Amino acid sequence: GAPIDGSSEGKFRGVIFTLADVTNEVDAVTPLADSRGLFAAVLQTAQTGICVTDREGRYVMVNDAYCRIYGYQRDQLIGRKFLIVVPEEEQGEMLELYKQSFEGKLFQPAEFNCVCADGTEIVVLATSAPLRLVGPRPLKVTTVTDITHTRQMAKMHDQLARMESVSQLAAG
């Protein structure tokens, strides 16, 4: 408010206030804040690794599960390129697939070899989609599930089946 000084003695005579109804603005922002909170809660409680990357392949966001899968701390990933988890010999092919995903080509769920912070090699099942947000910055969300143990069990099963076949042949 602004004081009104209309007397010759400089005495205070009143105050003028201007009010504006911002109900519509608050109503518009509240669902956005709610959806951001919901998104953050889902992201951090998910057991699936989730990351968001920009057009250049730099991490914009990673959840706790993503960090656990690869053995990195969040601050070791944010701002760095996703190729940090891709074996060196596969980085060229992976970068090409990544670029294609921003050109509208669909990225179907697929298995990929990856490397953890400690050098351990793992296999992940990854899915990916563009994030359609307001603004000019194209982003991509990727989910990963470590399926290394599943792949190892499948190999052992195949080996046992072959051994059983051989032993049946030998037995006659």
Side-chain angles (χ1 to χ4, degrees):
I4 302 173
D5 182 12
S7 69
S8 57
E9 293 101 36
K11 291 184 181 176
F12 175 74
R13 296 189 48 188
V15 176
I16 297 176
F17 284 96
T18 304
L19 301 174
D21 183 2
V22 295
T23 304
N24 291 338
E25 287 82 357
V26 170
D27 288 347
V29 171
T30 301
L32 179 60
D34 288 347
S35 66
R36 284 185 181 168
L38 175 64
F39 178 71
V42 168
L43 195 67
Q44 291 310 322
T45 58
Q47 295 302 306
T48 299
I50 303 171
C51 72
V52 176
T53 50
D54 64 12
R55 183 178 281 283
E56 288 75 38
R58 291 183 302 249
Y59 290 108
V60 174
M61 188 284 317
V62 293
N63 71 348
D64 292 342
Y66 192 91
C67 293
R68 257 192 322 276
I69 289 169
Y70 291 107
Y72 285 98
Q73 297 296 315
R74 184 173 280 108
D75 62 348
Q76 293 175 298
L77 294 173
I78 301 300
R80 296 196 57 192
K81 291 197 175 192
F82 78 95
L83 294 174
I84 191 173
V85 299
V86 178
E88 196 171 318
E89 64 275 6
E90 298 178 25
Q91 289 183 2
E93 179 183 350
M94 186 61 74
L95 193 55
E96 189 56 38
L97 283 171
Y98 189 81
K99 288 177 185 176
Q100 289 175 6
S101 72
F102 279 99
E103 296 168 1
K105 295 189 172 70
L106 290 178
F107 180 69
Q108 298 298 321
E111 295 179 14
F112 295 98
N113 297 317
C114 292
V115 62
C116 297
D118 66 1
T120 303
E121 293 182 4
I122 62 172
V123 179
V124 299
L125 177 64
T127 59
S128 178
L131 272 177
R132 306 279 185 224
L133 301 174
V134 176
R137 187 176 183 191
L139 299 172
K140 177 179 173 179
V141 62
T142 302
T143 64
V144 295
T145 303
D146 184 351
I147 60 169
T148 306
H149 183 72
T150 304
R151 287 292 149 253
Q152 290 170 341
M153 295 302 289
K155 279 184 182 179
M156 287 176 55
H157 180 269
D158 290 347
Q159 288 173 343
L160 287 172
R162 280 194 297 275
M163 288 172 59
E164 186 176 322
S165 295
V166 168
S167 68
Q168 286 176 353
L169 287 172

